[in-house]
Amino acid sequence: MDSVLDNILFLVGQRMPRLQSSSAKPDAKLTLETAALWRQYGCGLLLSELDEEGFRDGLEQAATLYLNLLKRRGACSEFDQYYLARSKGEPLFDALAAGNGGLSRSIATAMTPTWMQRMEPEEDFHYFGVLIALVLAQPNLDSELAAFERTLQGGSSHRFDVVKALSTKDTDAFDAGLHGMIEEQAAWVERQQRSGLFDPYRHKTEAFVFIEGAALVQLARRLGVPTQERYRLIPAAVLEGQARP
């Protein structure tokens, strides 16, 4: 694991000066790639050293990079628009999973508000819309849920089940939906590993920590929804840190 972490940190070090330069044009693709590396680094620290502080710092680094991108998106090129689509906002999960309420709200407030029809599934767009409404306690929660449900066209979605349960504070429905998401995630990871196309750094790190699931558990706790101490792919250490307002 040490060599994996060293390699990830080397890649991060190559990218950060470019992303932190105030004179350089923002690069959405590079930002998301670097955020993923920070996420993997944090997960690697947690898995190899039980370094909870390092884990949360890695997630916050990822989330902060993304927030800075959103603040400067007006300067992005037209080729960056795909990466600015709301459903590309995985760093919102990083902020939530790290227990950083202020950072989560800042990202939720700044995320792209309009659906990019040719660049993202409408279902994913409205999933993030519901999360934003929950994070910011917005009055449009019911309409976002209805829009999300409409995109399913009568089909099922564990993501929808989870956010619906959060909106009604239904503990049993939340756990059932989250377990469904975890099973889907585990199956996806297994398929990727068998395909030979899996990111080797992700395979050694983030594949063992379901960040989106951790984010949903942390959000549930903020909303007063009781949760389990741990879940498959969401170790207790991921959830034990002191949440910040």
Side-chain angles (χ1 to χ4, degrees):
M1 179 65 83
D2 286 348
S3 62
V4 170
L5 293 178
D6 287 345
N7 288 341
I8 292 174
L9 204 56
F10 173 76
L11 292 172
V12 166
Q14 286 185 313
R15 289 159 171 75
M16 288 299 289
R18 164 74 173 78
L19 295 174
Q20 291 175 324
S21 172
S22 59
S23 61
K25 194 177 185 70
D27 186 325
K29 182 175 184 290
L30 184 64
T31 297
L32 290 181
E33 290 174 349
T34 308
L37 289 170
W38 273 118
R39 185 180 309 122
Q40 292 161 12
Y41 185 70
C43 290
L45 288 176
L46 182 74
L47 294 167
S48 65
E49 303 174 18
L50 291 178
D51 184 349
E52 297 175 24
E53 183 176 348
F55 166 71
R56 291 184 181 83
D57 181 66
L59 298 190
E60 289 181 348
Q61 291 281 358
T64 300
L65 271 182
Y66 183 63
L67 177 59
N68 290 339
L69 169 69
L70 294 179
K71 289 177 177 178
R72 301 182 63 205
R73 68 176 163 213
C76 288
S77 75
E78 61 179 300
F79 303 106
D80 274 337
Q81 297 310 303
Y82 171 80
Y83 301 99
L84 291 168
R86 189 157 78 182
S87 61
K88 300 298 179 187
E90 286 188 28
L92 175 61
F93 300 144
D94 297 318
L96 286 168
N100 192 322
L103 186 54
S104 301
R105 289 190 296 274
S106 294
I107 291 174
T109 300
M111 291 178 81
T112 302
T114 54
W115 177 39
M116 296 187 181
Q117 184 171 356
R118 298 181 180 179
M119 299 183 185
E120 62 182 338
E122 189 178 9
E123 176 183 334
D124 294 349
F125 172 78
H126 286 299
Y127 169 59
F128 274 89
V130 176
L131 290 177
I132 289 168
L134 287 167
V135 169
L136 299 178
Q138 291 178 331
N140 65 331
L141 174 58
D142 289 342
S143 63
E144 282 290 352
L145 277 167
F148 186 4
E149 187 172 24
R150 173 183 54 78
T151 66
L152 300 177
Q153 299 181 330
S156 62
S157 163
H158 293 305
R159 276 179 159 183
F160 177 79
D161 294 341
V162 166
V163 293
K164 177 69 173 178
L166 289 178
S167 74
T168 59
K169 294 183 167 53
D170 186 330
T171 302
D172 292 339
F174 173 79
D175 275 346
L178 182 61
H179 280 298
M181 288 183 65
I182 291 168
E183 291 303 314
E184 287 181 343
Q185 175 70 7
W188 179 84
V189 168
E190 185 177 347
R191 288 195 303 272
Q192 290 292 305
Q193 290 171 337
R194 287 202 305 263
S195 73
L197 301 175
F198 202 72
D199 179 335
Y201 297 127
R202 186 171 185 175
H203 169 63
K204 297 288 187 181
T205 57
E206 190 185 348
F208 298 97
V209 184
F210 186 24
I211 296 298
E212 181 180 352
L216 292 168
V217 174
Q218 294 284 31
L219 180 57
R221 292 179 177 183
R222 284 185 178 275
L223 296 172
V225 179
T227 68
Q228 297 178 25
E229 181 181 343
R230 64 174 64 85
Y231 298 82
R232 182 186 179 192
L233 297 181
I234 310 175
V238 171
L239 305 171
E240 287 174 352
Q242 182 69 36
R244 277 152 291 176

